[in-house]
PDB file of all heavy atoms in Angstrom:
ATOM      1  N   PHE A1374     143.638 132.435 137.364  1.00  0.00           N
ATOM      2  CA  PHE A1374     143.969 131.637 136.198  1.00  0.00           C
ATOM      3  C   PHE A1374     144.987 132.277 135.258  1.00  0.00           C
ATOM      4  O   PHE A1374     145.807 131.572 134.674  1.00  0.00           O
ATOM      5  CB  PHE A1374     142.698 131.248 135.443  1.00  0.00           C
ATOM      6  CG  PHE A1374     141.899 130.225 136.185  1.00  0.00           C
ATOM      7  CD1 PHE A1374     140.871 130.601 137.023  1.00  0.00           C
ATOM      8  CD2 PHE A1374     142.196 128.887 136.072  1.00  0.00           C
ATOM      9  CE1 PHE A1374     140.149 129.667 137.722  1.00  0.00           C
ATOM     10  CE2 PHE A1374     141.487 127.933 136.766  1.00  0.00           C
ATOM     11  CZ  PHE A1374     140.453 128.321 137.597  1.00  0.00           C
ATOM     12  N   ILE A1375     144.953 133.597 135.091  1.00  0.00           N
ATOM     13  CA  ILE A1375     145.945 134.220 134.202  1.00  0.00           C
ATOM     14  C   ILE A1375     147.352 134.122 134.805  1.00  0.00           C
ATOM     15  O   ILE A1375     148.272 133.658 134.124  1.00  0.00           O
ATOM     16  CB  ILE A1375     145.547 135.668 133.850  1.00  0.00           C
ATOM     17  CG1 ILE A1375     144.287 135.657 132.978  1.00  0.00           C
ATOM     18  CG2 ILE A1375     146.689 136.379 133.121  1.00  0.00           C
ATOM     19  CD1 ILE A1375     143.753 137.029 132.650  1.00  0.00           C
ATOM     20  N   PRO A1376     147.559 134.522 136.084  1.00  0.00           N
ATOM     21  CA  PRO A1376     148.915 134.374 136.632  1.00  0.00           C
ATOM     22  C   PRO A1376     149.373 132.924 136.725  1.00  0.00           C
ATOM     23  O   PRO A1376     150.543 132.618 136.468  1.00  0.00           O
ATOM     24  CB  PRO A1376     148.824 134.997 138.023  1.00  0.00           C
ATOM     25  CG  PRO A1376     147.642 135.862 137.990  1.00  0.00           C
ATOM     26  CD  PRO A1376     146.696 135.246 137.010  1.00  0.00           C
ATOM     27  N   ALA A1377     148.463 132.019 137.072  1.00  0.00           N
ATOM     28  CA  ALA A1377     148.853 130.607 137.185  1.00  0.00           C
ATOM     29  C   ALA A1377     149.284 130.057 135.830  1.00  0.00           C
ATOM     30  O   ALA A1377     150.290 129.348 135.739  1.00  0.00           O
ATOM     31  CB  ALA A1377     147.702 129.787 137.753  1.00  0.00           C
ATOM     32  N   SER A1378     148.549 130.384 134.778  1.00  0.00           N
ATOM     33  CA  SER A1378     148.917 129.904 133.436  1.00  0.00           C
ATOM     34  C   SER A1378     150.250 130.480 133.013  1.00  0.00           C
ATOM     35  O   SER A1378     151.089 129.781 132.437  1.00  0.00           O
ATOM     36  CB  SER A1378     147.850 130.312 132.420  1.00  0.00           C
ATOM     37  OG  SER A1378     146.604 129.827 132.788  1.00  0.00           O
ATOM     38  N   TRP A1379     150.468 131.754 133.300  1.00  0.00           N
ATOM     39  CA  TRP A1379     151.727 132.398 132.934  1.00  0.00           C
ATOM     40  C   TRP A1379     152.900 131.774 133.694  1.00  0.00           C
ATOM     41  O   TRP A1379     153.944 131.487 133.109  1.00  0.00           O
ATOM     42  CB  TRP A1379     151.623 133.899 133.228  1.00  0.00           C
ATOM     43  CG  TRP A1379     152.863 134.648 132.910  1.00  0.00           C
ATOM     44  CD1 TRP A1379     153.336 134.952 131.671  1.00  0.00           C
ATOM     45  CD2 TRP A1379     153.798 135.173 133.840  1.00  0.00           C
ATOM     46  NE1 TRP A1379     154.505 135.652 131.784  1.00  0.00           N
ATOM     47  CE2 TRP A1379     154.812 135.803 133.105  1.00  0.00           C
ATOM     48  CE3 TRP A1379     153.872 135.186 135.228  1.00  0.00           C
ATOM     49  CZ2 TRP A1379     155.890 136.430 133.711  1.00  0.00           C
ATOM     50  CZ3 TRP A1379     154.933 135.810 135.829  1.00  0.00           C
ATOM     51  CH2 TRP A1379     155.922 136.414 135.081  1.00  0.00           C
ATOM     52  N   ILE A1380     152.720 131.545 135.004  1.00  0.00           N
ATOM     53  CA  ILE A1380     153.787 130.933 135.807  1.00  0.00           C
ATOM     54  C   ILE A1380     154.080 129.522 135.321  1.00  0.00           C
ATOM     55  O   ILE A1380     155.246 129.127 135.187  1.00  0.00           O
ATOM     56  CB  ILE A1380     153.399 130.938 137.304  1.00  0.00           C
ATOM     57  CG1 ILE A1380     153.413 132.362 137.845  1.00  0.00           C
ATOM     58  CG2 ILE A1380     154.323 130.053 138.116  1.00  0.00           C
ATOM     59  CD1 ILE A1380     152.802 132.510 139.219  1.00  0.00           C
ATOM     60  N   MET A1381     153.030 128.743 135.043  1.00  0.00           N
ATOM     61  CA  MET A1381     153.256 127.376 134.563  1.00  0.00           C
ATOM     62  C   MET A1381     153.937 127.362 133.200  1.00  0.00           C
ATOM     63  O   MET A1381     154.760 126.499 132.922  1.00  0.00           O
ATOM     64  CB  MET A1381     151.935 126.604 134.523  1.00  0.00           C
ATOM     65  CG  MET A1381     151.454 126.185 135.883  1.00  0.00           C
ATOM     66  SD  MET A1381     150.012 125.107 135.818  1.00  0.00           S
ATOM     67  CE  MET A1381     148.707 126.293 135.616  1.00  0.00           C
ATOM     68  N   MET A1382     153.604 128.317 132.342  1.00  0.00           N
ATOM     69  CA  MET A1382     154.263 128.386 131.029  1.00  0.00           C
ATOM     70  C   MET A1382     155.752 128.646 131.183  1.00  0.00           C
ATOM     71  O   MET A1382     156.575 128.120 130.433  1.00  0.00           O
ATOM     72  CB  MET A1382     153.634 129.478 130.162  1.00  0.00           C
ATOM     73  CG  MET A1382     152.300 129.136 129.600  1.00  0.00           C
ATOM     74  SD  MET A1382     152.321 127.778 128.435  1.00  0.00           S
ATOM     75  CE  MET A1382     153.183 128.502 127.056  1.00  0.00           C
ATOM     76  N   ARG A1383     156.130 129.456 132.144  1.00  0.00           N
ATOM     77  CA  ARG A1383     157.537 129.747 132.373  1.00  0.00           C
ATOM     78  C   ARG A1383     158.233 128.603 133.104  1.00  0.00           C
ATOM     79  O   ARG A1383     159.403 128.323 132.871  1.00  0.00           O
ATOM     80  CB  ARG A1383     157.688 131.046 133.146  1.00  0.00           C
ATOM     81  CG  ARG A1383     157.228 132.245 132.339  1.00  0.00           C
ATOM     82  CD  ARG A1383     157.339 133.517 133.123  1.00  0.00           C
ATOM     83  NE  ARG A1383     158.670 133.795 133.579  1.00  0.00           N
ATOM     84  CZ  ARG A1383     159.533 134.603 132.969  1.00  0.00           C
ATOM     85  NH1 ARG A1383     159.165 135.194 131.862  1.00  0.00           N
ATOM     86  NH2 ARG A1383     160.725 134.816 133.469  1.00  0.00           N
ATOM     87  N   TRP A1384     157.515 127.954 133.997  1.00  0.00           N
ATOM     88  CA  TRP A1384     158.101 126.927 134.847  1.00  0.00           C
ATOM     89  C   TRP A1384     158.237 125.592 134.103  1.00  0.00           C
ATOM     90  O   TRP A1384     159.211 124.869 134.278  1.00  0.00           O
ATOM     91  CB  TRP A1384     157.231 126.773 136.076  1.00  0.00           C
ATOM     92  CG  TRP A1384     157.671 125.774 137.085  1.00  0.00           C
ATOM     93  CD1 TRP A1384     158.954 125.429 137.412  1.00  0.00           C
ATOM     94  CD2 TRP A1384     156.839 124.977 137.911  1.00  0.00           C
ATOM     95  NE1 TRP A1384     158.958 124.486 138.391  1.00  0.00           N
ATOM     96  CE2 TRP A1384     157.669 124.193 138.721  1.00  0.00           C
ATOM     97  CE3 TRP A1384     155.466 124.874 138.060  1.00  0.00           C
ATOM     98  CZ2 TRP A1384     157.171 123.304 139.651  1.00  0.00           C
ATOM     99  CZ3 TRP A1384     154.980 123.999 138.990  1.00  0.00           C
ATOM    100  CH2 TRP A1384     155.826 123.217 139.785  1.00  0.00           C
ATOM    101  N   LEU A1385     157.277 125.251 133.264  1.00  0.00           N
ATOM    102  CA  LEU A1385     157.246 123.947 132.590  1.00  0.00           C
ATOM    103  C   LEU A1385     157.696 124.027 131.134  1.00  0.00           C
ATOM    104  O   LEU A1385     157.330 123.184 130.328  1.00  0.00           O
ATOM    105  CB  LEU A1385     155.823 123.370 132.641  1.00  0.00           C
ATOM    106  CG  LEU A1385     155.193 123.229 134.017  1.00  0.00           C
ATOM    107  CD1 LEU A1385     153.749 122.799 133.884  1.00  0.00           C
ATOM    108  CD2 LEU A1385     155.978 122.260 134.862  1.00  0.00           C
ATOM    109  N   ARG A1386     158.485 125.009 130.802  1.00  0.00           N
ATOM    110  CA  ARG A1386     158.874 125.256 129.419  1.00  0.00           C
ATOM    111  C   ARG A1386     159.542 124.043 128.763  1.00  0.00           C
ATOM    112  O   ARG A1386     159.457 123.850 127.563  1.00  0.00           O
ATOM    113  CB  ARG A1386     159.808 126.459 129.350  1.00  0.00           C
ATOM    114  CG  ARG A1386     160.124 126.833 127.945  1.00  0.00           C
ATOM    115  CD  ARG A1386     160.379 128.278 127.730  1.00  0.00           C
ATOM    116  NE  ARG A1386     159.411 129.225 128.186  1.00  0.00           N
ATOM    117  CZ  ARG A1386     158.377 129.654 127.465  1.00  0.00           C
ATOM    118  NH1 ARG A1386     158.155 129.161 126.287  1.00  0.00           N
ATOM    119  NH2 ARG A1386     157.575 130.563 127.926  1.00  0.00           N
ATOM    120  N   HIS A1387     160.190 123.206 129.541  1.00  0.00           N
ATOM    121  CA  HIS A1387     160.921 122.065 128.995  1.00  0.00           C
ATOM    122  C   HIS A1387     160.019 120.890 128.595  1.00  0.00           C
ATOM    123  O   HIS A1387     160.477 119.971 127.920  1.00  0.00           O
ATOM    124  CB  HIS A1387     161.956 121.590 130.021  1.00  0.00           C
ATOM    125  CG  HIS A1387     161.334 121.082 131.288  1.00  0.00           C
ATOM    126  ND1 HIS A1387     160.869 121.950 132.278  1.00  0.00           N
ATOM    127  CD2 HIS A1387     161.066 119.835 131.726  1.00  0.00           C
ATOM    128  CE1 HIS A1387     160.364 121.231 133.258  1.00  0.00           C
ATOM    129  NE2 HIS A1387     160.469 119.944 132.955  1.00  0.00           N
ATOM    130  N   LEU A1388     158.759 120.901 128.980  1.00  0.00           N
ATOM    131  CA  LEU A1388     157.866 119.775 128.697  1.00  0.00           C
ATOM    132  C   LEU A1388     157.279 119.856 127.292  1.00  0.00           C
ATOM    133  O   LEU A1388     156.991 120.944 126.795  1.00  0.00           O
ATOM    134  CB  LEU A1388     156.718 119.752 129.704  1.00  0.00           C
ATOM    135  CG  LEU A1388     157.080 119.438 131.143  1.00  0.00           C
ATOM    136  CD1 LEU A1388     155.846 119.541 132.017  1.00  0.00           C
ATOM    137  CD2 LEU A1388     157.694 118.068 131.251  1.00  0.00           C
ATOM    138  N   PRO A1389     157.095 118.704 126.649  1.00  0.00           N
ATOM    139  CA  PRO A1389     156.381 118.716 125.359  1.00  0.00           C
ATOM    140  C   PRO A1389     154.887 118.954 125.612  1.00  0.00           C
ATOM    141  O   PRO A1389     154.382 118.722 126.709  1.00  0.00           O
ATOM    142  CB  PRO A1389     156.633 117.308 124.805  1.00  0.00           C
ATOM    143  CG  PRO A1389     156.918 116.465 126.000  1.00  0.00           C
ATOM    144  CD  PRO A1389     157.564 117.378 127.019  1.00  0.00           C
ATOM    145  N   ASN A1390     154.192 119.419 124.590  1.00  0.00           N
ATOM    146  CA  ASN A1390     152.751 119.714 124.687  1.00  0.00           C
ATOM    147  C   ASN A1390     152.454 120.648 125.853  1.00  0.00           C
ATOM    148  O   ASN A1390     151.553 120.407 126.665  1.00  0.00           O
ATOM    149  CB  ASN A1390     151.932 118.432 124.825  1.00  0.00           C
ATOM    150  CG  ASN A1390     152.150 117.493 123.672  1.00  0.00           C
ATOM    151  OD1 ASN A1390     152.299 117.926 122.546  1.00  0.00           O
ATOM    152  ND2 ASN A1390     152.190 116.213 123.968  1.00  0.00           N
ATOM    153  N   LEU A1391     153.204 121.718 125.923  1.00  0.00           N
ATOM    154  CA  LEU A1391     153.140 122.628 127.061  1.00  0.00           C
ATOM    155  C   LEU A1391     151.750 123.229 127.248  1.00  0.00           C
ATOM    156  O   LEU A1391     151.211 123.236 128.350  1.00  0.00           O
ATOM    157  CB  LEU A1391     154.190 123.735 126.879  1.00  0.00           C
ATOM    158  CG  LEU A1391     154.308 124.762 127.978  1.00  0.00           C
ATOM    159  CD1 LEU A1391     154.674 124.079 129.285  1.00  0.00           C
ATOM    160  CD2 LEU A1391     155.359 125.777 127.615  1.00  0.00           C
ATOM    161  N   ALA A1392     151.155 123.730 126.183  1.00  0.00           N
ATOM    162  CA  ALA A1392     149.841 124.370 126.303  1.00  0.00           C
ATOM    163  C   ALA A1392     148.778 123.368 126.772  1.00  0.00           C
ATOM    164  O   ALA A1392     147.923 123.718 127.592  1.00  0.00           O
ATOM    165  CB  ALA A1392     149.440 124.998 124.975  1.00  0.00           C
ATOM    166  N   LEU A1393     148.839 122.142 126.285  1.00  0.00           N
ATOM    167  CA  LEU A1393     147.867 121.130 126.721  1.00  0.00           C
ATOM    168  C   LEU A1393     148.055 120.771 128.190  1.00  0.00           C
ATOM    169  O   LEU A1393     147.076 120.532 128.904  1.00  0.00           O
ATOM    170  CB  LEU A1393     147.992 119.877 125.862  1.00  0.00           C
ATOM    171  CG  LEU A1393     147.495 120.016 124.428  1.00  0.00           C
ATOM    172  CD1 LEU A1393     147.747 118.726 123.658  1.00  0.00           C
ATOM    173  CD2 LEU A1393     146.022 120.358 124.412  1.00  0.00           C
ATOM    174  N   ASN A1394     149.310 120.746 128.651  1.00  0.00           N
ATOM    175  CA  ASN A1394     149.557 120.481 130.073  1.00  0.00           C
ATOM    176  C   ASN A1394     148.981 121.583 130.944  1.00  0.00           C
ATOM    177  O   ASN A1394     148.350 121.307 131.969  1.00  0.00           O
ATOM    178  CB  ASN A1394     151.060 120.340 130.334  1.00  0.00           C
ATOM    179  CG  ASN A1394     151.616 119.042 129.834  1.00  0.00           C
ATOM    180  OD1 ASN A1394     150.928 118.036 129.792  1.00  0.00           O
ATOM    181  ND2 ASN A1394     152.875 119.054 129.441  1.00  0.00           N
ATOM    182  N   VAL A1395     149.183 122.825 130.552  1.00  0.00           N
ATOM    183  CA  VAL A1395     148.648 123.949 131.325  1.00  0.00           C
ATOM    184  C   VAL A1395     147.120 123.928 131.305  1.00  0.00           C
ATOM    185  O   VAL A1395     146.471 124.126 132.335  1.00  0.00           O
ATOM    186  CB  VAL A1395     149.213 125.284 130.797  1.00  0.00           C
ATOM    187  CG1 VAL A1395     148.552 126.462 131.477  1.00  0.00           C
ATOM    188  CG2 VAL A1395     150.720 125.339 130.992  1.00  0.00           C
ATOM    189  N   LEU A1396     146.534 123.676 130.140  1.00  0.00           N
ATOM    190  CA  LEU A1396     145.072 123.588 130.050  1.00  0.00           C
ATOM    191  C   LEU A1396     144.520 122.457 130.919  1.00  0.00           C
ATOM    192  O   LEU A1396     143.488 122.617 131.572  1.00  0.00           O
ATOM    193  CB  LEU A1396     144.641 123.390 128.605  1.00  0.00           C
ATOM    194  CG  LEU A1396     144.523 124.643 127.762  1.00  0.00           C
ATOM    195  CD1 LEU A1396     144.314 124.279 126.297  1.00  0.00           C
ATOM    196  CD2 LEU A1396     143.399 125.518 128.248  1.00  0.00           C
ATOM    197  N   SER A1397     145.202 121.322 130.935  1.00  0.00           N
ATOM    198  CA  SER A1397     144.709 120.198 131.739  1.00  0.00           C
ATOM    199  C   SER A1397     144.752 120.524 133.225  1.00  0.00           C
ATOM    200  O   SER A1397     143.844 120.146 133.972  1.00  0.00           O
ATOM    201  CB  SER A1397     145.506 118.933 131.439  1.00  0.00           C
ATOM    202  OG  SER A1397     146.828 119.040 131.923  1.00  0.00           O
ATOM    203  N   VAL A1398     145.774 121.250 133.663  1.00  0.00           N
ATOM    204  CA  VAL A1398     145.857 121.617 135.076  1.00  0.00           C
ATOM    205  C   VAL A1398     144.748 122.594 135.446  1.00  0.00           C
ATOM    206  O   VAL A1398     144.070 122.424 136.462  1.00  0.00           O
ATOM    207  CB  VAL A1398     147.251 122.204 135.404  1.00  0.00           C
ATOM    208  CG1 VAL A1398     147.271 122.835 136.781  1.00  0.00           C
ATOM    209  CG2 VAL A1398     148.316 121.136 135.310  1.00  0.00           C
ATOM    210  N   THR A1399     144.527 123.611 134.629  1.00  0.00           N
ATOM    211  CA  THR A1399     143.534 124.624 134.983  1.00  0.00           C
ATOM    212  C   THR A1399     142.101 124.089 134.895  1.00  0.00           C
ATOM    213  O   THR A1399     141.284 124.369 135.776  1.00  0.00           O
ATOM    214  CB  THR A1399     143.680 125.873 134.107  1.00  0.00           C
ATOM    215  OG1 THR A1399     143.584 125.516 132.737  1.00  0.00           O
ATOM    216  CG2 THR A1399     145.001 126.574 134.365  1.00  0.00           C
ATOM    217  N   ILE A1400     141.807 123.314 133.870  1.00  0.00           N
ATOM    218  CA  ILE A1400     140.456 122.755 133.741  1.00  0.00           C
ATOM    219  C   ILE A1400     140.179 121.755 134.861  1.00  0.00           C
ATOM    220  O   ILE A1400     139.096 121.743 135.452  1.00  0.00           O
ATOM    221  CB  ILE A1400     140.263 122.107 132.347  1.00  0.00           C
ATOM    222  CG1 ILE A1400     140.389 123.150 131.239  1.00  0.00           C
ATOM    223  CG2 ILE A1400     138.934 121.376 132.262  1.00  0.00           C
ATOM    224  CD1 ILE A1400     139.340 124.228 131.250  1.00  0.00           C
ATOM    225  N   SER A1401     141.169 120.922 135.195  1.00  0.00           N
ATOM    226  CA  SER A1401     140.957 119.961 136.278  1.00  0.00           C
ATOM    227  C   SER A1401     140.851 120.671 137.626  1.00  0.00           C
ATOM    228  O   SER A1401     140.100 120.245 138.500  1.00  0.00           O
ATOM    229  CB  SER A1401     142.070 118.918 136.305  1.00  0.00           C
ATOM    230  OG  SER A1401     143.308 119.520 136.596  1.00  0.00           O
ATOM    231  N   PHE A1402     141.578 121.779 137.801  1.00  0.00           N
ATOM    232  CA  PHE A1402     141.442 122.553 139.039  1.00  0.00           C
ATOM    233  C   PHE A1402     140.024 123.099 139.176  1.00  0.00           C
ATOM    234  O   PHE A1402     139.434 123.047 140.257  1.00  0.00           O
ATOM    235  CB  PHE A1402     142.451 123.706 139.066  1.00  0.00           C
ATOM    236  CG  PHE A1402     142.223 124.652 140.202  1.00  0.00           C
ATOM    237  CD1 PHE A1402     142.627 124.320 141.477  1.00  0.00           C
ATOM    238  CD2 PHE A1402     141.578 125.860 140.008  1.00  0.00           C
ATOM    239  CE1 PHE A1402     142.398 125.177 142.539  1.00  0.00           C
ATOM    240  CE2 PHE A1402     141.354 126.721 141.058  1.00  0.00           C
ATOM    241  CZ  PHE A1402     141.763 126.379 142.324  1.00  0.00           C
ATOM    242  N   ASN A1403     139.483 123.627 138.092  1.00  0.00           N
ATOM    243  CA  ASN A1403     138.123 124.152 138.138  1.00  0.00           C
ATOM    244  C   ASN A1403     137.122 123.037 138.449  1.00  0.00           C
ATOM    245  O   ASN A1403     136.177 123.233 139.216  1.00  0.00           O
ATOM    246  CB  ASN A1403     137.788 124.835 136.813  1.00  0.00           C
ATOM    247  CG  ASN A1403     136.621 125.779 136.939  1.00  0.00           C
ATOM    248  OD1 ASN A1403     136.426 126.400 137.967  1.00  0.00           O
ATOM    249  ND2 ASN A1403     135.848 125.887 135.879  1.00  0.00           N
ATOM    250  N   LEU A1404     137.336 121.861 137.879  1.00  0.00           N
ATOM    251  CA  LEU A1404     136.471 120.723 138.176  1.00  0.00           C
ATOM    252  C   LEU A1404     136.575 120.323 139.643  1.00  0.00           C
ATOM    253  O   LEU A1404     135.561 120.042 140.297  1.00  0.00           O
ATOM    254  CB  LEU A1404     136.827 119.542 137.267  1.00  0.00           C
ATOM    255  CG  LEU A1404     136.015 118.275 137.454  1.00  0.00           C
ATOM    256  CD1 LEU A1404     134.554 118.523 137.102  1.00  0.00           C
ATOM    257  CD2 LEU A1404     136.581 117.164 136.615  1.00  0.00           C
ATOM    258  N   VAL A1405     137.783 120.324 140.188  1.00  0.00           N
ATOM    259  CA  VAL A1405     137.978 119.957 141.594  1.00  0.00           C
ATOM    260  C   VAL A1405     137.274 120.946 142.513  1.00  0.00           C
ATOM    261  O   VAL A1405     136.693 120.554 143.526  1.00  0.00           O
ATOM    262  CB  VAL A1405     139.489 119.850 141.919  1.00  0.00           C
ATOM    263  CG1 VAL A1405     139.747 119.828 143.410  1.00  0.00           C
ATOM    264  CG2 VAL A1405     140.074 118.618 141.271  1.00  0.00           C
ATOM    265  N   THR A1406     137.296 122.233 142.168  1.00  0.00           N
ATOM    266  CA  THR A1406     136.605 123.211 143.024  1.00  0.00           C
ATOM    267  C   THR A1406     135.095 122.950 143.040  1.00  0.00           C
ATOM    268  O   THR A1406     134.455 123.094 144.083  1.00  0.00           O
ATOM    269  CB  THR A1406     136.884 124.654 142.573  1.00  0.00           C
ATOM    270  OG1 THR A1406     136.501 124.820 141.214  1.00  0.00           O
ATOM    271  CG2 THR A1406     138.343 125.003 142.755  1.00  0.00           C
ATOM    272  N   TYR A1407     134.529 122.543 141.905  1.00  0.00           N
ATOM    273  CA  TYR A1407     133.103 122.200 141.893  1.00  0.00           C
ATOM    274  C   TYR A1407     132.844 120.918 142.678  1.00  0.00           C
ATOM    275  O   TYR A1407     131.820 120.801 143.369  1.00  0.00           O
ATOM    276  CB  TYR A1407     132.577 122.071 140.465  1.00  0.00           C
ATOM    277  CG  TYR A1407     132.255 123.404 139.854  1.00  0.00           C
ATOM    278  CD1 TYR A1407     132.982 123.896 138.786  1.00  0.00           C
ATOM    279  CD2 TYR A1407     131.228 124.192 140.350  1.00  0.00           C
ATOM    280  CE1 TYR A1407     132.697 125.129 138.227  1.00  0.00           C
ATOM    281  CE2 TYR A1407     130.925 125.419 139.809  1.00  0.00           C
ATOM    282  CZ  TYR A1407     131.665 125.884 138.755  1.00  0.00           C
ATOM    283  OH  TYR A1407     131.383 127.110 138.218  1.00  0.00           O
ATOM    284  N   LEU A1408     133.752 119.956 142.612  1.00  0.00           N
ATOM    285  CA  LEU A1408     133.581 118.723 143.406  1.00  0.00           C
ATOM    286  C   LEU A1408     133.669 119.020 144.900  1.00  0.00           C
ATOM    287  O   LEU A1408     132.951 118.421 145.697  1.00  0.00           O
ATOM    288  CB  LEU A1408     134.622 117.688 142.992  1.00  0.00           C
ATOM    289  CG  LEU A1408     134.446 117.095 141.594  1.00  0.00           C
ATOM    290  CD1 LEU A1408     135.618 116.170 141.254  1.00  0.00           C
ATOM    291  CD2 LEU A1408     133.130 116.372 141.472  1.00  0.00           C
ATOM    292  N   LEU A1409     134.558 119.947 145.275  1.00  0.00           N
ATOM    293  CA  LEU A1409     134.638 120.342 146.682  1.00  0.00           C
ATOM    294  C   LEU A1409     133.359 121.052 147.131  1.00  0.00           C
ATOM    295  O   LEU A1409     132.916 120.881 148.264  1.00  0.00           O
ATOM    296  CB  LEU A1409     135.849 121.245 146.908  1.00  0.00           C
ATOM    297  CG  LEU A1409     137.211 120.568 146.844  1.00  0.00           C
ATOM    298  CD1 LEU A1409     138.328 121.608 146.929  1.00  0.00           C
ATOM    299  CD2 LEU A1409     137.358 119.548 147.953  1.00  0.00           C
ATOM    300  N   LEU A1410     132.783 121.831 146.238  1.00  0.00           N
ATOM    301  CA  LEU A1410     131.523 122.508 146.547  1.00  0.00           C
ATOM    302  C   LEU A1410     130.406 121.483 146.778  1.00  0.00           C
ATOM    303  O   LEU A1410     129.602 121.632 147.699  1.00  0.00           O
ATOM    304  CB  LEU A1410     131.146 123.462 145.414  1.00  0.00           C
ATOM    305  CG  LEU A1410     129.892 124.288 145.598  1.00  0.00           C
ATOM    306  CD1 LEU A1410     130.064 125.272 146.748  1.00  0.00           C
ATOM    307  CD2 LEU A1410     129.568 125.029 144.323  1.00  0.00           C
ATOM    308  N   ILE A1411     130.373 120.449 145.955  1.00  0.00           N
ATOM    309  CA  ILE A1411     129.378 119.389 146.143  1.00  0.00           C
ATOM    310  C   ILE A1411     129.625 118.659 147.455  1.00  0.00           C
ATOM    311  O   ILE A1411     128.696 118.367 148.216  1.00  0.00           O
ATOM    312  CB  ILE A1411     129.407 118.407 144.948  1.00  0.00           C
ATOM    313  CG1 ILE A1411     128.895 119.093 143.693  1.00  0.00           C
ATOM    314  CG2 ILE A1411     128.578 117.165 145.252  1.00  0.00           C
ATOM    315  CD1 ILE A1411     129.106 118.287 142.431  1.00  0.00           C
ATOM    316  N   GLY A1412     130.903 118.372 147.746  1.00  0.00           N
ATOM    317  CA  GLY A1412     131.239 117.680 148.994  1.00  0.00           C
ATOM    318  C   GLY A1412     130.922 118.498 150.230  1.00  0.00           C
ATOM    319  O   GLY A1412     130.599 117.945 151.285  1.00  0.00           O
ATOM    320  N   ALA A1413     130.984 119.809 150.120  1.00  0.00           N
ATOM    321  CA  ALA A1413     130.673 120.682 151.258  1.00  0.00           C
ATOM    322  C   ALA A1413     129.186 120.997 151.346  1.00  0.00           C
ATOM    323  O   ALA A1413     128.773 121.796 152.184  1.00  0.00           O
ATOM    324  CB  ALA A1413     131.474 121.978 151.138  1.00  0.00           C
ATOM    325  N   HIS A1414     128.389 120.387 150.481  1.00  0.00           N
ATOM    326  CA  HIS A1414     126.943 120.591 150.436  1.00  0.00           C
ATOM    327  C   HIS A1414     126.592 122.063 150.204  1.00  0.00           C
ATOM    328  O   HIS A1414     125.620 122.574 150.763  1.00  0.00           O
ATOM    329  CB  HIS A1414     126.256 120.069 151.709  1.00  0.00           C
ATOM    330  CG  HIS A1414     126.501 118.620 151.949  1.00  0.00           C
ATOM    331  ND1 HIS A1414     125.945 117.645 151.155  1.00  0.00           N
ATOM    332  CD2 HIS A1414     127.255 117.975 152.872  1.00  0.00           C
ATOM    333  CE1 HIS A1414     126.340 116.470 151.590  1.00  0.00           C
ATOM    334  NE2 HIS A1414     127.142 116.634 152.624  1.00  0.00           N
ATOM    335  N   GLY A1415     127.410 122.719 149.376  1.00  0.00           N
ATOM    336  CA  GLY A1415     127.148 124.108 149.024  1.00  0.00           C
ATOM    337  C   GLY A1415     126.130 124.190 147.909  1.00  0.00           C
ATOM    338  O   GLY A1415     125.809 123.202 147.247  1.00  0.00           O
TER     339      GLY A1415
END
């Protein structure tokens, strides 16, 4: 999460609401990993 946030901050610098965009990507990624865990019956 630290390198991904740093890379996205550098890569998406031109977008408005940059911090909210990065937060939405990381939080949704974490949610998707839990959904995959449920789907895999883990």
